[in-house]
């Protein structure tokens, strides 16, 4: 005689709804924090946007559009009159922030795990901490904190793995402090593009303005 045991699983709609609400609130708080953080980092954008919204709220949409148009005109004037400072304080900072996340932070956990640099502590997985990222024209510099038990050679031998995983031409790992490694990623060859030197700046040559005198 055989006995059949049937197990019935009952879903808890209230528990699922609570989990969904908590997940949504967590994502909303994270998005709000990121928005506020970017507003603090780039006041040249957040302040005009805030003034435009405030003007539109209190004085009508035409006032808001006028403030926004004035802000855009000011940004264009800044770009034309001082492209160096515009690049340093606006476009360069935005580019650096975006590439820091796009190239390194979003793939850091996956890459260090794939390279065997993560460790287990009971139920937890420990990942080397990404300390800083500096974006350059052709060379990016990343600093990371080694985990207990790591040795510099372990990281140095992963240089080719880092270069391939992060899409760089070459990577070089150096120990720069106690438990602190620096990875230099060469993205492009800075000597591949020829530099045009003005004719007047070449030593021993002067511009010839009269061909008859030169003859």
């Amino acid at each position: 005689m055989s006995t059949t045991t049937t197990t019935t699983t009952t879903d808890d709609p209230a528990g699922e709804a609570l989990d969904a609400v908590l997940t949504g609130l967590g994502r909303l708080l994270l998005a709000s924090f990121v928005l506020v953080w970017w507003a603090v980092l780039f006041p040249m954008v957040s302040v005009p946007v805030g003034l435009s919204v405030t003007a539109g709220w209190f004085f009508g949409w035409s006032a808001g559009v006028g403030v926004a148009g004035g802000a855009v005109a000011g940004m264009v004037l800044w770009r034309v009159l001082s492209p160096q400072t515009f690049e340093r304080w606006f476009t360069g900072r935005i580019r650096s922030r975006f590439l820091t996340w796009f190239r390194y932070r979003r793939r850091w956990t996956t890459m260090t795990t794939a390279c065997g640099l993560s460790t287990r502590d009971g139920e937890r997985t420990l990942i080397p901490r990404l300390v800083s990222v500096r974006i350059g024209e052709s060379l990016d510099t990343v600093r990371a904190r080694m985990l207990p038990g790591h040795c510099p050679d372990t990281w140095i031998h992963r240089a080719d793995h880092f270069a391939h995983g992060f899409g760089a031409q070459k990577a070089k790992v150096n120990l720069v402090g106690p438990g602190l490694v620096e990875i230099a990623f060469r993205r492009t060859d800075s000597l591949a593009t020829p530099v045009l030197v003005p004719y007047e700046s070449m030593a021993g040559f002067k511009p010839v303005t009269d061909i008859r005198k030169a003859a």
Side-chain angles (χ1 to χ4, degrees):
M1 179 178 181
S2 60
T3 303
T4 303
T5 302
T6 303
T7 302
T8 304
T9 303
T10 304
D11 295 332
D12 185 5
E16 293 180 355
L18 180 60
D19 290 340
V21 170
L22 293 178
T23 301
L25 289 176
R27 292 178 178 176
L28 181 61
L29 289 176
L30 179 60
S32 301
F33 174 79
V34 172
L35 183 62
V36 172
W37 180 242
W38 275 75
V40 172
L41 290 176
F42 300 99
M44 66 287 293
V45 175
S46 59
V47 171
V49 170
L51 292 177
S52 301
V53 173
T54 302
W57 180 268
F58 288 101
F59 304 104
W61 67 268
S62 57
V65 171
V67 173
V72 172
M75 297 286 284
V76 172
L77 187 63
W78 179 18
R79 175 65 177 84
V80 171
L81 295 180
S82 183
Q84 294 83 5
T85 59
F86 187 83
E87 166 67 20
R88 181 186 309 150
W89 293 103
F90 187 61
T91 56
R93 293 178 63 190
I94 292 178
R95 172 182 176 274
S96 178
R97 287 279 173 178
F98 173 75
L99 292 181
T100 295
W101 170 81
F102 183 77
R103 290 177 178 175
Y104 302 107
R105 292 195 181 277
R106 72 186 182 95
R107 293 188 288 177
W108 182 253
T109 299
T110 301
M111 279 303 306
T112 51
T113 302
C115 291
L117 296 174
S118 61
T119 59
R120 298 281 299 180
D121 182 15
E123 298 297 326
R124 297 186 305 164
T125 300
L126 304 180
I127 303 296
R129 185 165 64 91
L130 184 59
V131 177
S132 64
V133 178
R134 185 175 62 189
I135 303 295
E137 293 296 330
S138 59
L139 188 71
D140 297 341
T141 304
V142 175
R143 289 194 172 189
R145 183 71 62 184
M146 294 190 299
L147 294 175
H150 282 178
C151 67
D153 287 342
T154 303
W155 286 74
I156 292 173
H157 294 159
R158 300 295 192 277
D160 291 339
H161 298 76
F162 287 139
H164 175 73
F166 289 107
Q169 293 183 354
K170 187 177 181 181
K172 184 178 181 181
V173 182
N174 292 308
L175 182 68
V176 295
L180 186 65
V181 294
E182 182 177 271
I183 312 171
F185 292 94
R186 182 166 297 283
R187 315 293 306 192
T188 58
D189 188 355
S190 59
L191 300 179
T193 304
V195 179
L196 298 178
V197 179
Y199 179 77
E200 295 84 353
S201 66
M202 298 175 63
F205 292 91
K206 294 182 179 180
V208 178
T209 58
D210 194 337
I211 301 178
R212 290 175 299 177
K213 290 182 180 180

